[in-house]
Amino acid sequence: YSASEAVRSIFENNLFGLDIDPRAAQLATFALLLKAAAHDRSILASNLLPQVYAMPEKEIFTRQEVLDFLGEVNATHADALYNALVLMQQSQNLGSIMKFNFTNQALAAITTQITAWKALTPTDLLQQELWKRLAPYMQVLQVLTQRYEAVAANPPYMGGGNMNDGLKTYLGSNYPDSKSDLFAVFIEAMIQFCTSNGKLGCITMESWMFL
């Protein structure tokens, strides 16, 4: 690979990031662009950005909007996607620990539809408006439903006594083994993001061995 090819391949295929705080996501994007420009200055004049996203603002979607997005041929996956979008209304409270229940066929259908909707013409005004609302959700959903060779994080620290009711309830149902501290929950969640031979790196204190 040339430097230009390598930078573009990394941005398109190899590097993904999520954060609850939009400003943190913006700073990470800026830092990555500077790093990329050190190898290929033309990247700054392109429209290519690293796939770093913030958890989306709360947005409510109807079942009909989910069906409009999926199309008739994929209607069997509507319930799974609708339930995921309902859960993601809490994305700024739960972050990357959200769990989704998709089959491989459903994920393939969603990916196909994302590609199609990105190519919409400006004349499709109603579809463009729906996609504008859906796109931030789809970006995060795709990142959270992939598996990775390497996962790295500085997980948040929060004991159960400081959690709000929504977070505490979700952890009790989905992470009963690690719910005592949010950083332990994140470690458990990120193990699931790894491929079978993947690597996980977290900034933690020694208490991870006991929590």
Side-chain angles (χ1 to χ4, degrees), residues 2 5 12 15 45 59 69 71 87 94 96 102 109 118 141 145 154 159 169 183 189 198-199 201 205:
S2 67
E5 290 171 331
E12 291 174 348
L15 189 61
E59 187 76 52
F69 169 73
L87 175 60
L94 301 178
S96 300
F102 289 113
K118 282 181 178 178
L141 188 64
T145 53
N154 182 5
T169 299
F183 92 86
K199 305 295 183 184
M205 294 185 293

Side-chain angles (χ1 to χ4, degrees), residues 53-173:
Y53 308 114
M55 294 295 167
E57 295 290 334
K58 185 176 182 179
E59 187 76 52
I60 297 175
F61 299 96
T62 66
R63 286 185 178 274
Q64 185 57 53
E65 287 174 326
V66 172
L67 286 168
D68 290 343
F69 169 73
L70 288 173
E72 283 188 29
V73 69
N74 298 313
T76 55
H77 307 307
D79 284 346
L81 180 55
Y82 178 79
N83 291 336
L85 293 173
V86 170
L87 175 60
M88 291 181 73
Q89 291 174 22
Q90 302 182 65
S91 63
Q92 293 190 355
N93 188 38
L94 301 178
S96 300
I97 63 174
M98 292 181 291
K99 291 183 176 182
F100 304 107
N101 186 24
F102 289 113
T103 64
N104 291 335
Q105 291 83 358
L107 289 175
I110 291 169
T111 299
T112 299
Q113 290 304 101
I114 288 173
T115 301
W117 281 68
K118 282 181 178 178
L120 285 175
T121 62
T123 56
D124 299 323
L125 297 182
L126 292 177
Q127 288 181 317
Q128 287 283 355
E129 179 59 29
L130 176 57
W131 178 241
K132 181 179 179 181
R133 294 165 54 220
L134 265 176
Y137 279 74
M138 294 297 103
Q139 291 167 340
V140 171
L141 188 64
Q142 282 194 298
V143 174
L144 289 177
T145 53
Q146 294 186 70
R147 295 294 176 266
Y148 303 93
E149 283 75 22
V151 180
N154 182 5
Y157 284 75
M158 181 187 291
N162 293 316
M163 296 177 186
N164 60 52
D165 290 340
L167 179 58
K168 187 178 295 185
T169 299
Y170 188 79
L171 298 188
S173 299

